[in-house]
């Protein structure tokens, strides 16, 4: 039985792919301070995402054990393709058009799959889900554009930007959950936030060092 924390960790740890590509494929600058910051980012992502064990029905299906790995690989592939598009094709132009194409393609694909499931009776139209999808899609679209613009504008490199984005997302979600939903921040989560702060400091310092 996998919870939200497992999916969150698997998704955010996909940043290992663009980080490795940044060093070995795109030959971005490397120093030991940056390495320490990136390792601290991995620790921050894991510790900040871990939640207390959730109770619920256990689904005993062997294929479901592959889901965290699929999320991990899929998330890493998305970040890596974004990194590739930035390195080869996108700098200061074409960012909005590229992002729009990606989201339209994803929307059309999702609409086709949903229509098939609706026709075959595997799902039903839920207006709340539609509104929730729109409410989630707009900030995701803007965040993707800002990610592309950040990659194009800052000379920090993708080996720095992707860890900061991923650990920033997890840290913000943890703090927002505490403020808005009164979720308890465990010692492990708090340790993750400390690692996040250390990671950002080290990564920023690595740029001055280089």
């Amino acid at each position: 039985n996998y919870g939200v924390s497992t999916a969150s960790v698997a998704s955010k740890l996909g940043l290992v792919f663009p980080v490795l590509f940044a060093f070995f494929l795109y030959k971005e600058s490397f120093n030991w301070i940056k390495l320490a910051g990136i390792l601290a980012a991995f620790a921050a992502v894991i510790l900040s995402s871990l939640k207390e064990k959730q109770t619920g029905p256990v689904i005993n299906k062997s294929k479901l054990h592959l889901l965290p790995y699929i999320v991990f690989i899929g998330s890493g592939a998305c970040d890596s393709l974004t990194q590739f598009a930035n390195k080869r094709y996108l700098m200061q132009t074409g960012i909005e058009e590229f992002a729009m194409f990606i989201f339209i393609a994803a929307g059309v694909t999702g609409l086709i799959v949903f229509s098939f499931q609706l026709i075959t009776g595997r799902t039903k139209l839920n207006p709340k889900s539609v509104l929730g999808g729109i409410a989630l899609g707009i900030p995701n679209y803007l965040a993707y554009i800002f990610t592309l613009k950040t990659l194009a504008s800052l000379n920090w490199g993708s080996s720095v930007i992707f860890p900061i984005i991923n650990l920033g997302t997890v840290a913000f979600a943890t703090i927002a959950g505490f403020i808005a939903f009164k979720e308890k921040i465990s010692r492990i989560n708090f340790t993750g936030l400390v690692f996040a702060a250390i990671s950002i400091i080290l990564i920023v310092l690595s740029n001055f060092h280089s």
Side-chain angles (χ1 to χ4, degrees):
N1 187 25
Y2 294 113
V4 175
S5 61
T6 303
S8 178
V9 171
S11 174
K12 298 308 174 186
L13 284 184
L15 67 91
V16 68
F17 291 99
V19 168
L20 290 177
F21 288 157
F23 289 139
F24 295 106
L25 184 60
Y26 302 117
K27 308 300 181 182
E28 290 188 8
S29 63
F30 170 85
N31 58 61
W32 293 106
I33 299 178
K34 179 184 287 187
L35 176 61
I38 291 173
L39 292 177
F42 281 111
V45 166
I46 295 174
L47 296 175
S48 298
S49 300
L50 292 178
K51 304 297 180 183
E52 294 181 356
K53 186 175 182 180
Q54 300 177 355
T55 58
V58 177
I59 303 175
N60 187 18
K61 293 183 179 180
S62 58
K63 292 183 179 180
L64 293 182
H65 293 293
L66 297 175
L67 289 180
Y69 302 100
I70 295 174
V71 171
F72 170 70
I73 295 174
S75 175
C78 289
D79 285 346
S80 299
L81 289 174
T82 298
Q83 179 188 39
F84 174 79
N86 165 256
K87 295 287 187 181
R88 296 298 177 88
Y89 302 108
L90 304 174
M91 287 305 294
Q92 298 297 333
T93 59
I95 290 177
E96 290 81 2
E97 293 82 357
F98 177 77
M100 181 64 70
F101 171 79
I102 293 295
F103 273 73
I104 289 177
V108 171
T109 302
L111 186 60
I112 293 173
V113 173
F114 174 75
S115 298
F116 175 77
Q117 293 180 338
L118 191 64
I119 294 173
T120 56
R122 297 181 181 181
T123 188
K124 295 181 179 180
L125 180 62
N126 188 340
K128 291 183 178 180
S129 297
V130 175
L131 294 176
I134 295 173
L136 184 62
I138 292 175
N140 274 340
Y141 173 71
L142 295 175
Y144 190 65
I145 287 182
F146 288 139
T147 298
L148 290 172
K149 287 185 176 292
T150 300
L151 288 168
S153 302
L154 295 182
N155 60 357
W156 291 6
S158 54
S159 62
V160 172
I161 293 173
F162 279 109
I164 288 181
I165 289 175
N166 281 275
L167 71 86
T169 301
V170 174
F172 177 80
T174 301
I175 297 174
F178 172 74
I179 296 175
F181 304 106
K182 308 301 180 182
E183 292 184 358
K184 181 180 178 182
I185 298 181
S186 65
R187 292 182 178 180
I188 293 178
N189 297 150
F190 182 78
T191 304
L193 295 178
V194 173
F195 270 97
I198 294 173
S199 173
I200 292 175
I201 292 173
L202 289 174
I203 288 175
V204 172
L205 287 176
S206 73
N207 286 278
F208 289 106
H209 183 267
S210 59

